[in-house]
Amino acid sequence: MNEIPGSHKINDLGKRLSPYFLLLLIVVFGFWQVSFLFRALKWDMIDVVFPFRFYFSECIRSGYFPFWNPYLQTGTPFFADLQAPTYYPELLFTSLFGGYGIYTMHFWFTVYLFLAAAGMFQLSYLFNQNRLASFLAAFSYAFSGFVVGHGQHFFLLVGVAWIPFVIKNYLELLQKGGMIQVIKTAVFVFLMVTGAYQALSITLFYLLAVLFIWFIIKEITQKNRARVFRIIKENLFLFLVVLILLLPLVFSTLEVLTSVDRLSNGIDAGKIAQYGQSLRTLISFLVPFSTLKFDYFGNIDTCMIDHYFGLVTFLFLGLALFRKRTGIEYLIFIFGGIIFASSFRDLPVRDFMFRFVPFMNLFKYAAYIRIFGLLAFILLAANYFSFLQQNFEKERKRILITGVLLLAVLLFFIFYSFGKTSPAEIKNTFAQKSWGEILAAMPVSQLVFFQAVFQSVLLLVFLALIFFHKKIRHLFQLVVVLLVVDMFAATQLNMFVSVVDPVRKPVHMKKDLALFPEKFPIPVNNKIIYNDNQHVIFPPFWRNTSVFSKEISFYSFSSFELNSFNKLDDDYPNLRNAVLNNRLFYFSDTIFPLSQFDDNKVNSETCSEWLYFQDDIFDVLSEKAAKTDSSDTGIIKEFSPNKITLETVTKNDQFLTLLQTNFKGWKAFIDNVETPVYTSNFNYRTVFLPGGTHTIRFEYKNNKVLFLNIFSNVVFVFLVLFLVVYYLRRKNGQVGWFYLWIPGVFLVVALSLLARNFSHRNENKSVYEIYNERWFEEKPLYNVGKNFDGNETTILPENEFFLISKIDPDSLKLKNGTLVVTAEIKPAENMEGLLVSDIHGSGIADGWHASKIEKQIEKTGEWNKVIYFRNLYDLKKDNTVDVYIWNLKKCSFEIKNMEVNIYPLIH
C-alpha cells in the first residue's frame, strides 16, 4: 500500500509535540483550581502584579503610554518601575487583545508553568537525549516547591519559565554557533530581563558568564583559535542585539537611578541578613507539607522554604552524585549549589556575595534565586535517570540500598513526629469544618507525620517496582507516573496556602472589579489623606486598590519608591499628614526655607497649606507677593496619566500646588505659556499663579523612551517572525503564503488595535457621571427611597447609627444583584463616616462591607453626591441585608435624596 504523501512529516510532528501536549495537560490538571477558574489567585499576585498590569492595560487601551501612575504614592514614574514591567511584550500584546483581568492572570499563570515545563524538557534533552528522563525533569521543575511556594510571585514564575530556554539556547550557541542561535538566545534573554525578577536575571548573567569562560578556556587548551574567535564574535553580536532590544529599559533605569536609593546604593546589609532561612528547611526535600508552619523554621515566609522536587527525583540526585559527570554538569551543579547555599543564614555565602559580587546587594531575598540550585539538582537527577535506563541491572542494587536508607529516614520522621502529638490531638484537628481550618490547626508534628506516611507509601511502591522489575512492563514509565502522583499530592497539599484562595472565586472578583470606572475619569477632589486602602474595594483586594477605584493615594505596596517619597513616608510624618490634608491641588501664600523646617513643629491641621522650598528657591519666591482668598476656586477639567488640566479663578497672586511628585520631565503651562515648576515639601509640584482666570496644564513627555520602546518592539516582532519563517523553511524546504498568513493576520490586527487605542480621546467625565450612566438608566430589581420630613434631614452627633433600609432578599426572590445606595450629603465641617451594608444569615463569607463617605466629599458646607455599591452573591432564604450610615466621629451633616436600589449583576 502506498504511503500517503506528507504522512511522515505529520507523524514526525506528532512525535515532537506529544510530550509538550502531555506536559500541558498535566500542568492544567495539576493546577486545576487556577486553570479552570475554581479558585482565585492570592497575596502579591492580586496586590502587586495584577494592579500594575491592570494599570498598564488601562493606559494602552485608553491611548496613553504609561509614563506616570497618578494613583499610587501621589504619583510615581511607572515607566521606570522595574517591577511593572513596562517593556515586557506580554503586557503590550495582552493589553491590545482584550486587556488584563482576573481571568487573564489565571490564563498566564498556567501558560508560564507550561513554558517552564517545556523549557526544562528541552534543556534536559540537550544533556541526555532521553525523552522520559527529560519529562521527569520538566515535571519536577514545574511542580517544584519553588513554583508552588512562589505561586503568588508572578515575576518569579516568569523567570522560572524563561531560565531553561536561555540556558539551553546559550549552550547551543557556545557549542554549535550560528546567527540563528544568536537571535534565538537574544529573544529569550530579552524576555527574561524585561519580564522576570531582576535578581534572577543578574544570577543568570553570572551563570552565562561562567559557561562562556569555561568554553573559552576549553577551546584555548585545545588550541582551537577559530572557535575561540567564533564564540567571542557571536557573543558580542548577542550582546548588541540584546542591548538594542533593552534600550528603553536601560534609558528608563538611568533616568530614575539617582532618584531611587535602592538602585543607586543597594540594600542595607543588616536588612538582608534578616531574610536568610534556617538549615531546618532542608527537611522540605522530603516532607514539603511541613513548610506550612513557617514559625517552626524561624518565621521565614512559607514561599521561601519549600525546596521539594519529588521523592524519586531526590533519590536519583543522591545516586547521581556518586557518578562521574561531564564538565558542564559539574559547572552547573557547583554554580547552583553555591546559589542555593546563599539562602541560608547559617552559611557565609550570602554575606560574601553581598560584599564582593556586583549587583548582589540590590535584592533582599536570596531564596528568590535558589531556583538555580533546584534546576541544577533536577538536571543532574534526570541525567542519572537516563543513565539508569541503559544500566538498570548494574544500578539496581544501589537504588534499593539508597531507597531503604531514605525509607529509614522517613520512618524516623514518622515515629518522632507521632511522639510529639497524640490521637486525641489528631482527632481534634480533623474536627475542623474546612480544609483551611484543618491546615491552620495542624502543628508541624502532624504535618510531618502525615506527609512522611504518604512519602513512605510512595517509596515502598517505588522499591517494589525496582525489586519486581522482571514482572513489570514499562517499568520506567511507571516510575514517572509515580513521580506525577507524588508531585500532584505535594502541590495540592500546599496549594491553598501559597497559590490560591480557599474561599474567593475568580468570577466574583471579576464582577466586583467591573463595578469601578474604566480608563481615566476625573477623580473625586477630596482630601488625599482619606484615600487609604481601607473600605475601597472588596476582598481579597486590599492593597494598591486606588488603581481600580481611580483615587489619588499616597499609599502603595511596592518595592519601587522615590527618595523624595521616602522622606515623607519614613522621616517626616507630621509634614506628610499636613500635606495630605489637602485636595489634589490647593492654594498657598505661606512659604519657608528648608533650613527652618522642623517636623515636630508641623501641625497637620493648621500648617496644611505651608510650603517648604530649598533655600535658593525660597530666596527667589519670597520676593513674590502672594495672598490667598476664600473666594479662590479651581476645578479639574482634564485628567489622564500624563496630563492634568485645571481651571482657576483667584483674586490675588499666590502659589498653586499639585499633589503629584515633581519628577524630572514634568512641565507646567499657564494659559499655554510654560512656567517654572518648583519642588515643595520635598516632593510636590508648585507653580506661581497670577491672580485672575487661568488654565494650568501639567504635562509629561518623554519622546526618547517612547521612540526607543517602539523601536524595541519592532525589532522584537521582526526577530520572532524571522525565526518563525526560518523554522518553517527548514522543516518544509520552502515557505509559502499559507505559512505566513497566521502571523500576518496577528500583526495586522495588533497594529489596528494599537491605532484604534491611540486615537482614543479622553471624555473627561467625572467618576460620578460614569456611575450615573451605568445604573440610573437601568430598571432596578428593587428600589426604596428614604423619606424625610421635608426634603432633607440632619444627622446629629448622637446618631451614631442611622438605618437606611432593611432588605429581605427572599421576599424579592433575589439571589444575586448589585446594591447601589445614592444620596446627597452636606457636612458643616470635615467628617468621617461609613456607608455600610451588612448581610446576616448563613453561607456568607464577607457579610459586612463599608465605604468611606469622606472619600466623596469635595466641599464642606455644600451638597456632595455620594454613592455606595456592592455585589450580592448567592443569597439564601434566611439572609437579610441591613443598609445604614455609621457616623464614626459623631459629626453633624445634612442628607437628602437617598435611594437604595438593587440592579442585575454587571457581567
Side-chain angles (χ1 to χ4, degrees):
M1 186 174 180
N2 293 331
E3 184 182 5
I4 299 173
S7 62
H8 65 285
K9 291 184 179 180
I10 295 174
N11 291 334
D12 184 51
L13 180 64
K15 287 180 181 179
R16 291 200 305 271
L17 294 181
S18 59
Y20 299 109
F21 180 71
L22 187 56
L23 285 172
L24 177 60
L25 285 179
I26 289 176
V27 166
V28 167
F29 285 100
F31 290 88
W32 62 270
Q33 294 95 334
V34 178
S35 52
F36 294 118
L37 301 172
F38 273 81
R39 296 296 178 196
L41 296 165
K42 65 191 304 184
W43 306 138
D44 285 15
M45 187 74 82
I46 299 303
D47 297 333
V48 181
V49 179
F50 176 62
F52 288 2
R53 277 168 159 78
F54 179 87
Y55 179 76
F56 180 98
S57 183
E58 288 276 88
C59 288
I60 296 299
R61 293 173 66 79
S62 302
Y64 304 107
F65 185 79
F67 284 118
W68 195 254
N69 183 341
Y71 302 121
L72 300 177
Q73 300 176 20
T74 47
T76 182
F78 187 86
F79 76 100
D81 186 349
L82 295 176
Q83 68 184 335
T86 305
Y87 308 104
Y88 186 45
E90 175 216 306
L91 272 72
L92 177 61
F93 289 106
T94 301
S95 299
L96 292 177
F97 289 91
Y100 279 93
I102 291 299
Y103 292 177
T104 317
M105 293 308 301
H106 283 67
F107 167 78
W108 279 117
F109 179 94
T110 308
V111 167
Y112 281 117
L113 293 198
F114 165 68
L115 288 172
M120 192 61 179
F121 179 89
Q122 289 190 13
L123 177 60
S124 177
Y125 192 78
L126 179 68
F127 279 88
N128 54 52
Q129 300 295 299
N130 185 299
R131 290 194 173 197
L132 198 58
S134 299
F135 186 86
L136 176 139
F139 191 71
S140 297
Y141 183 72
F143 283 76
S144 65
F146 184 92
V147 168
V148 176
H150 289 290
Q152 60 172 310
H153 297 136
F154 199 64
F155 46 85
L156 294 181
L157 301 185
V158 172
V160 168
W162 296 129
I163 286 170
F165 284 104
V166 173
I167 297 173
K168 181 254 183 184
N169 282 281
Y170 189 67
L171 283 172
E172 289 187 326
L173 172 63
L174 294 172
Q175 291 170 340
K176 303 175 185 177
M179 286 300 107
I180 293 297
Q181 202 57 45
V182 169
I183 293 172
K184 285 175 65 177
T185 307
V187 166
F188 285 117
V189 170
F190 170 68
L191 292 171
M192 177 73 193
V193 174
T194 55
Y197 184 53
Q198 288 71 42
L200 294 179
S201 297
I202 292 169
T203 310
L204 181 59
F205 165 77
Y206 283 116
L207 175 58
L208 300 187
V210 168
L211 292 172
F212 171 79
I213 293 169
W214 190 86
F215 269 87
I216 289 292
I217 293 173
K218 179 184 174 183
E219 299 301 337
I220 289 175
T221 56
Q222 295 178 359
K223 299 182 179 180
N224 290 325
R225 292 182 60 189
R227 292 186 61 131
V228 169
F229 286 121
R230 190 267 298 169
I231 291 174
I232 293 174
K233 179 185 70 175
E234 290 176 345
N235 273 270
L236 287 173
F237 188 68
L238 171 65
F239 174 79
L240 178 62
V241 175
V242 170
L243 180 62
I244 289 172
L245 290 169
L246 292 178
L247 280 175
L249 178 64
V250 171
F251 276 88
S252 298
T253 304
L254 289 175
E255 287 202 15
V256 80
L257 192 62
T258 57
S259 302
V260 179
D261 189 60
R262 180 171 180 173
L263 291 176
S264 55
N265 298 319
I267 296 174
D268 180 74
K271 205 177 260 190
I272 285 179
Q274 298 173 15
Y275 299 109
Q277 57 184 279
S278 165
L279 289 170
R280 282 184 176 185
T281 63
L282 293 174
I283 194 178
S284 66
F285 278 118
L286 298 178
V287 282
F289 201 28
S290 64
T291 61
L292 300 191
K293 297 299 177 182
F294 58 89
D295 52 340
Y296 175 77
F297 299 101
N299 284 321
I300 299 299
D301 197 293
T302 299
C303 65
M304 302 185 196
I305 56 179
D306 188 353
H307 313 311
Y308 194 67
F309 52 79
L311 192 64
V312 173
T313 314
F314 183 73
L315 187 148
F316 288 161
L317 171 63
L319 291 164
L321 294 177
F322 295 97
R323 285 197 65 253
K324 188 177 179 181
R325 317 306 314 175
T326 65
I328 297 179
E329 285 179 291
Y330 280 126
L331 207 62
I332 293 176
F333 177 74
I334 293 170
F335 180 88
I338 292 171
I339 298 300
F340 184 77
S342 70
S343 299
F344 300 96
R345 59 172 172 259
D346 300 317
L347 302 176
V349 181
R350 178 64 172 129
D351 182 65
F352 176 86
M353 292 168 61
F354 177 85
R355 295 176 184 278
F356 301 109
V357 181
F359 308 118
M360 285 292 175
N361 65 334
L362 297 179
F363 59 94
K364 289 187 288 188
Y365 304 109
Y368 280 5
I369 61 174
R370 75 185 191 280
I371 187 60
F372 288 92
L374 301 181
L375 179 145
F377 303 158
I378 292 168
L379 199 59
L380 219 61
N383 291 347
Y384 175 81
F385 185 46
S386 174
F387 168 79
L388 175 65
Q389 293 171 53
Q390 306 299 322
N391 302 272
F392 179 75
E393 289 300 333
K394 189 167 128 184
E395 293 291 313
R396 178 171 166 269
K397 186 176 178 181
R398 293 178 64 214
I399 293 174
L400 289 172
I401 294 172
T402 306
V404 169
L405 291 174
L406 199 55
L407 182 62
V409 174
L410 291 172
L411 290 174
F412 170 78
F413 286 165
I414 291 171
F415 288 111
Y416 180 81
S417 57
F418 188 73
K420 296 289 184 179
T421 186
S422 68
E425 289 173 333
I426 294 174
K427 184 179 178 181
N428 236 4
T429 298
F430 284 94
Q432 306 300 318
K433 294 179 181 179
S434 68
W435 178 241
E437 291 174 340
I438 290 172
L439 291 179
M442 272 189 175
V444 69
S445 58
Q446 291 182 17
L447 294 173
V448 171
F449 174 76
F450 288 111
Q451 177 87 74
V453 169
F454 179 77
Q455 300 293 76
S456 298
V457 172
L458 278 176
L459 191 54
L460 285 170
V461 172
F462 172 74
L463 292 174
L465 289 175
I466 300 300
F467 190 80
F468 298 106
H469 69 281
K470 291 182 179 179
K471 299 179 181 180
I472 298 171
R473 297 181 62 188
H474 308 298
L475 170 65
F476 300 114
Q477 286 83 350
L478 287 175
V479 169
V480 173
V481 170
L482 190 67
L483 174 71
V484 170
V485 172
D486 175 12
M487 298 304 288
F488 262 54
T491 298
Q492 293 303 312
L493 287 173
N494 289 41
M495 175 77 72
F496 289 105
V497 173
S498 54
V499 180
V500 295
D501 192 309
V503 177
R504 317 294 173 192
K505 297 180 179 179
V507 63
H508 290 172
M509 296 170 68
K510 178 178 181 292
K511 290 179 179 179
D512 287 344
L513 280 177
L515 296 174
F516 292 87
E518 296 179 340
K519 300 184 177 178
F520 298 96
I522 294 175
V524 177
N525 194 23
N526 65 323
K527 287 193 172 186
I528 305 301
I529 199 168
Y530 295 133
N531 294 342
D532 55 21
N533 285 317
Q534 280 191 311
H535 311 307
V536 180
I537 195 171
F538 311 93
F541 301 104
W542 67 294
R543 293 189 287 202
N544 293 329
T545 53
S546 56
V547 166
F548 309 120
S549 61
K550 305 301 189 291
E551 298 171 351
I552 310 298
S553 176
F554 180 80
Y555 306 97
S556 73
F557 180 61
S558 171
S559 60
F560 179 81
E561 295 179 346
L562 297 177
N563 297 335
S564 56
F565 169 85
N566 281 333
K567 282 187 178 296
L568 293 176
D569 191 34
D570 299 331
D571 302 333
Y572 308 128
N574 293 328
L575 180 61
R576 176 195 64 209
N577 292 337
V579 169
L580 299 181
N581 205 25
N582 291 286
R583 291 172 167 78
L584 179 59
F585 67 93
Y586 59 98
F587 304 109
S588 303
D589 57 12
T590 306
I591 65 174
F592 298 96
L594 277 177
S595 58
Q596 296 181 15
F597 172 71
D598 182 351
D599 192 60
N600 294 320
K601 295 180 180 179
V602 176
N603 183 286
S604 62
E605 295 291 334
T606 59
C607 307
S608 62
E609 295 174 1
W610 290 7
L611 302 176
Y612 289 89
F613 296 96
Q614 293 284 353
D615 287 29
D616 56 336
I617 301 298
F618 171 80
D619 291 341
V620 174
L621 297 180
S622 61
E623 297 179 358
K624 299 179 182 292
K627 182 66 176 175
T628 60
D629 190 87
S630 59
S631 64
D632 296 336
T633 60
I635 187 172
I636 305 170
K637 300 298 291 184
E638 184 178 5
F639 187 90
S640 68
N642 309 322
K643 183 165 67 174
I644 299 174
T645 303
L646 316 170
E647 284 189 1
T648 60
V649 179
T650 56
K651 187 175 180 180
N652 307 304
D653 296 352
Q654 56 197 287
F655 299 101
L656 181 142
T657 298
L658 184 74
L659 286 185
Q660 290 285 289
T661 301
N662 188 24
F663 184 74
K664 55 187 176 184
W666 275 97
K667 294 182 178 181
F669 302 85
I670 298 178
D671 301 328
N672 293 321
V673 177
E674 187 173 351
T675 189
V677 182
Y678 306 102
T679 299
S680 63
N681 297 330
F682 297 101
N683 195 50
Y684 296 108
R685 303 176 208 156
T686 295
V687 298
F688 181 73
L689 179 66
T693 301
H694 298 288
T695 299
I696 302 98
R697 184 175 81 253
F698 293 90
E699 190 169 12
Y700 183 88
K701 291 182 180 179
N702 195 326
N703 292 329
K704 176 176 65 178
V705 169
L706 184 60
F707 170 78
L708 290 174
N709 186 55
I710 294 171
F711 178 68
S712 172
N713 277 284
V714 169
V715 173
F716 173 75
V717 171
F718 171 79
L719 292 178
V720 171
L721 289 178
F722 176 79
L723 291 174
V724 169
V725 172
Y726 171 82
Y727 175 82
L728 293 172
R729 185 186 297 275
R730 192 183 68 175
K731 295 298 178 184
N732 300 285
Q734 58 181 355
V735 181
W737 290 109
F738 175 77
Y739 295 105
L740 297 178
W741 72 270
I742 293 179
V745 169
F746 176 85
L747 272 180
V748 169
V749 173
L751 290 172
S752 300
L753 292 172
L754 196 64
R756 187 192 70 177
N757 290 346
F758 280 85
S759 62
H760 165 84
R761 292 292 177 268
N762 200 352
E763 296 178 341
N764 290 306
K765 295 178 180 178
S766 70
V767 169
Y768 198 88
E769 285 176 315
I770 291 175
Y771 291 142
N772 188 64
E773 292 174 357
R774 175 177 296 168
W775 282 305
F776 299 152
E777 294 180 1
E778 188 172 356
K779 184 178 179 180
L781 303 172
Y782 168 85
N783 169 265
V784 62
K786 187 70 178 179
N787 295 317
F788 304 117
D789 296 332
N791 294 324
E792 59 200 51
T793 192
T794 301
I795 305 298
L796 300 173
E798 56 265 29
N799 302 130
E800 186 175 358
F801 295 94
F802 180 77
L803 184 66
I804 300 170
S805 180
K806 185 180 282 289
I807 305 168
D808 179 10
D810 187 50
S811 65
L812 302 170
K813 306 298 181 187
L814 180 70
K815 291 190 176 297
N816 300 284
T818 302
L819 171 68
V820 181
V821 182
T822 57
E824 292 181 65
I825 290 178
K826 182 166 77 171
E829 56 186 2
N830 293 323
M831 63 167 291
E832 293 183 35
L834 298 175
L835 266 166
V836 182
S837 64
D838 195 2
I839 307 175
H840 303 278
S842 61
I844 302 299
D846 299 298
W848 190 91
H849 182 264
S851 175
K852 288 185 174 182
I853 294 174
E854 59 269 22
K855 286 190 175 189
Q856 301 183 60
I857 302 300
E858 293 194 318
K859 296 180 180 179
T860 57
E862 298 183 19
W863 290 104
N864 298 266
K865 292 181 178 180
V866 298
I867 186 168
Y868 168 77
F869 46 80
R870 175 191 185 175
N871 284 329
L872 307 172
Y873 301 111
D874 306 320
L875 296 172
K876 308 294 188 299
K877 285 186 177 182
D878 66 335
N879 292 152
T880 58
V881 183
D882 292 343
V883 181
Y884 60 91
I885 290 177
W886 185 1
N887 189 4
L888 282 172
K889 297 297 182 181
K890 297 184 178 180
C891 304
S892 295
F893 56 93
E894 295 177 85
I895 186 168
K896 67 178 182 179
N897 297 334
M898 175 160 275
E899 282 195 21
V900 179
N901 294 283
I902 299 180
Y903 296 97
L905 287 175
I906 295 177
H907 296 287

